[in-house]
Amino acid sequence: MNFQHDADFAARLDRADPLARYRDLFHVPAGSVYLCGNSLGLQPKSTAAAVQQELEDWQRLGVEGHEHARNPWMPYHSFVTGSLARLTGALPEEVVAMNGLTVNLHLMMVSFYQPTAERHKIIMEANAFPSDRYAVESQLRNHGYDPATTLVILQPREGEIVLRDDDVLDAIARHGAETALVLMGGVNYYTGQLFDMESITREARKHGCRVAFDLAHAAGNVPLRLHDWGPDFCCWCSYKYLNAGPGGVAGCFVHERHASNFSLPRFAGWWGHDQATRFQMGPEFHAMRGVEGWQLSNPPIFSMAALKASLEIFDQAGMNALRAKSEQLTGYMEFLLQPLTRRGVRILTPAEPSRRGCQLSLTMPAHGRRIFDTLIADKMICDWREPDCIRVAPAPLYNSFADVFDFVAALTAALARAGG
Ligand SMILES: *Cc1c(COP(=O)(O)O)cnc(C)c1O
C-alpha cells in the first residue's frame, strides 16, 4: 500500500478498516492515544459484566457455584480452551489457562529442562525479559550449574541491534549437542523482533534439544501455529495483547507428543489430577492427559472471567484479520516516522513485516527520556524501557490509523521542543 502523509489519509484508512468497530468494544482512557497494549491491554466493555456475573453467582450460591453457577467454576478453565487453541494454533489438549507466566516457565522447566553431564546448556536471546533470565538462571543453579558456563546468550553481531535468523540457527547447530533447552521469546519485548519459531523449533529438535517460546509479546499479536511448529512448551501472559487485565491468568502450551508422558518429572497439584477421580481425594497423584495435567490449583474465577470475555473478542475478529490490519497500522507508523529517522530517530525493530509484530521500538538522537515525558504529558501513552527505548504498539483491536497519525505528530513536536 502507498501511504500518504496527510491527516485525511488516516481518516480514509479508518473508514476502510473492516475492524474499526472493535475499538468501541473497549474502554479507551479519555483524551489519550493508547499505544501501550504491549504492556497492559485495554479493558473490554464486556469484562465488567462477566466478572459481575461470577460475583452474583457467588452471592446467590456460595459453594454450590462450583456446580451451579451459570458458568460452573469446577470446569471453568475449559471454557477458554477453545479460544486459546484457536489463538495459538494448538489442539485443545495442548493449551490451558493457569497461574502467572513466570510460574508457568518454572513449572515447564521442571519437566522439560532435564540436564545431563553431556547436555545441560540453555540457549536464550540477548535482551530477554529479565524475569525469564532470572527464572532460567535459578533453574540452572537449582541443578548445580553455573550460568556463566551453561547459559548461552545469543548476541546480535557487532554494530547490529537484532539477531539475524540464520545466526540463531547457526548457534543452535553449534551448541546443539550440549544444549538441553532452547528458550526464546516469540517476539522480543525490547526490540519487537519476531523470531522464526518454525525454523528455530526444527533446528533445535534436529539437534535433540528441547525447545520453548515465551509468547508474552506474541500471543494476540501474531498468528501462531504451535502444534504444527512443534515446540515442547510455550508460556504467555494474558494482560498484554490479550486484554485480560492486570495480573491476568496466564497461558501454557505443552505439545501433544507429551500428552500422556506421565514419566516426565513434574511438580503436581490437585487440579492436575485426573478429574474423574480428583474428588476421591486419594493420596496418589494421577495426572490428567495433556497440559491440564500440569495445573496446580483451582483457577481464579474472576480473573478467568475477564480472560474469557476478552478471548471472545479475539474469536470474533480472528487473528488473520487482526494481523492484516496490524501490518498496515505498523507499516503506516513506520512510513510516518521516516522523516524523523533523517533527524536521528532510530527504529530498532526489523523493517520486514515477517520479522516483527505490531510494536516499534524507537531511540531518540538525544534527550530520549525528556521526549518520552513530553509524550506522556500529551497523553500519548507509550512506554520507556531503559536505557533509551520508547516502545509504541498500535494494537489492531482498538487502535486507529488516526491514533498513529496523532502519535507521530506529537513525537515530531516533542523532538522539536527537545532541540532534536
Ligand atoms: C511481560 C513479560 C513477563 C512478565 O512475567 P509475569 O510472570 O507475567 O509477571 C515475562 N516474560 C516476558 C517475555 C514478558 O514479556
Side-chain angles (χ1 to χ4, degrees):
M1 154 154 319
N2 288 323
F3 295 119
Q4 296 168 25
H5 278 283
D6 53 296
D8 276 356
F9 187 72
R12 255 192 289 154
L13 288 174
D14 281 324
R15 280 196 299 276
D17 171 14
L19 297 179
R21 67 182 182 86
Y22 281 87
R23 178 182 177 86
D24 200 40
L25 303 183
F26 289 85
H27 294 286
V28 181
S32 57
V33 169
Y34 194 83
L35 295 167
C36 225
N38 55 346
S39 184
L40 186 72
L42 291 179
Q43 183 184 135
K45 290 179 180 167
S46 54
T47 302
V51 174
Q52 186 61 32
Q53 176 174 321
E54 303 312 327
L55 287 166
E56 283 167 13
D57 285 356
W58 180 30
Q59 283 172 17
R60 273 190 317 120
L61 299 166
V63 71
E64 300 214 290
H66 284 305
E67 282 179 52
H68 299 300
R70 281 164 280 180
N71 293 320
W73 304 327
M74 193 80 76
Y76 204 101
H77 71 270
S78 67
F79 302 151
V80 297
T81 299
S83 301
L84 288 178
R86 284 185 284 279
L87 186 81
T88 59
L91 303 177
E93 71 173 357
E94 292 175 321
V95 287
V96 73
M98 62 181 189
N99 311 314
L101 165 53
T102 308
V103 176
N104 289 340
L105 277 175
H106 276 299
L107 286 178
M108 290 296 111
M109 281 192 276
V110 165
S111 294
F112 295 106
Y113 175 60
Q114 295 167 58
T116 62
E118 308 77 54
R119 189 187 275 281
H120 49 258
K121 290 185 178 172
I122 298 183
I123 297 180
M124 292 180 88
E125 87 262 34
N127 262 328
F129 195 84
S131 195
D132 299 40
R133 179 85 182 249
Y134 306 152
V136 164
E137 292 204 4
S138 62
Q139 288 279 339
L140 289 170
R141 287 200 190 88
N142 188 48
H143 286 278
Y145 293 105
D146 179 359
T149 53
T150 47
L151 182 56
V152 178
I153 299 289
L154 305 183
Q155 299 284 355
R157 292 188 190 192
E158 185 78 28
E160 297 185 8
I161 291 166
V162 298
L163 284 158
R164 298 190 191 190
D165 288 328
D166 286 344
D167 287 355
V168 173
L169 302 182
D170 289 347
I172 293 170
R174 207 161 54 248
H175 296 280
E178 296 135 41
T179 297
L181 175 66
V182 176
L183 172 61
M184 304 273 293
V187 174
N188 180 271
Y189 88 101
Y190 188 81
T191 62
Q193 177 178 15
L194 169 60
F195 290 105
D196 180 352
M197 289 180 262
E198 183 170 20
S199 301
I200 290 171
T201 303
R202 193 183 310 121
E203 190 68 19
R205 296 196 66 212
K206 190 169 106 191
H207 294 277
C209 317
R210 290 264 161 81
V211 51
F213 297 101
D214 183 325
L215 303 176
H217 282 265
N221 181 15
V222 294
L224 300 165
R225 298 206 332 269
L226 297 186
H227 176 76
D228 292 344
W229 295 342
D232 293 286
F233 73 86
C234 296
C235 302
W236 59 93
C237 54
S238 64
Y239 48 81
K240 292 173 180 165
Y241 295 107
L242 294 182
N243 309 318
V249 64
C252 192
F253 165 94
V254 171
H255 197 273
E256 186 198 25
R257 65 180 173 275
H258 303 298
S260 47
N261 184 354
F262 302 117
S263 62
L264 282 170
R266 75 174 86 191
F267 283 175
W270 75 316
W271 226 252
H273 190 283
D274 179 11
Q275 59 190 4
T277 53
R278 183 186 296 149
F279 285 92
Q280 291 172 12
M281 303 296 210
E284 234 179 83
F285 178 74
H286 297 289
M288 284 177 76
R289 237 188 94 80
V291 68
E292 292 185 1
W294 274 268
Q295 294 174 103
L296 297 180
S297 296
N298 73 102
I301 297 299
F302 306 139
S303 192
M304 294 289 281
L307 175 62
K308 180 171 177 295
S310 168
L311 291 176
E312 282 163 6
I313 300 174
F314 278 89
D315 274 332
Q316 286 167 34
M319 262 327 290
N320 290 336
L322 285 167
R323 175 63 171 172
K325 175 174 173 184
S326 178
E327 287 185 6
Q328 266 204 355
L329 263 183
T330 298
Y332 179 54
M333 180 178 279
E334 184 180 41
F335 167 82
L336 292 179
L337 286 169
Q338 283 314 316
L340 300 185
T341 61
R342 288 192 284 277
R343 290 161 54 188
V345 171
R346 187 161 185 200
I347 302 175
L348 307 184
T349 312
E352 306 92 322
S354 64
R355 295 181 70 214
R356 68 185 182 199
C358 73
Q359 169 185 323
L360 293 181
S361 304
L362 313 175
T363 56
M364 300 299 125
H367 313 300
R369 180 70 212 201
R370 202 192 304 163
I371 290 166
F372 171 73
D373 290 341
T374 306
L375 289 169
I376 294 297
D378 285 349
K379 295 243 186 186
M380 297 289 147
I381 311 301
C382 49
D383 74 12
W384 174 257
R385 284 292 175 266
E386 293 294 343
D388 63 350
C389 178
I390 294 174
R391 303 187 309 169
V392 278
L397 266 179
Y398 49 74
N399 283 121
S400 61
F401 292 88
D403 284 343
V404 169
F405 183 88
D406 291 345
F407 169 78
V408 178
L411 176 60
T412 306
L415 264 167
R417 260 180 282 169

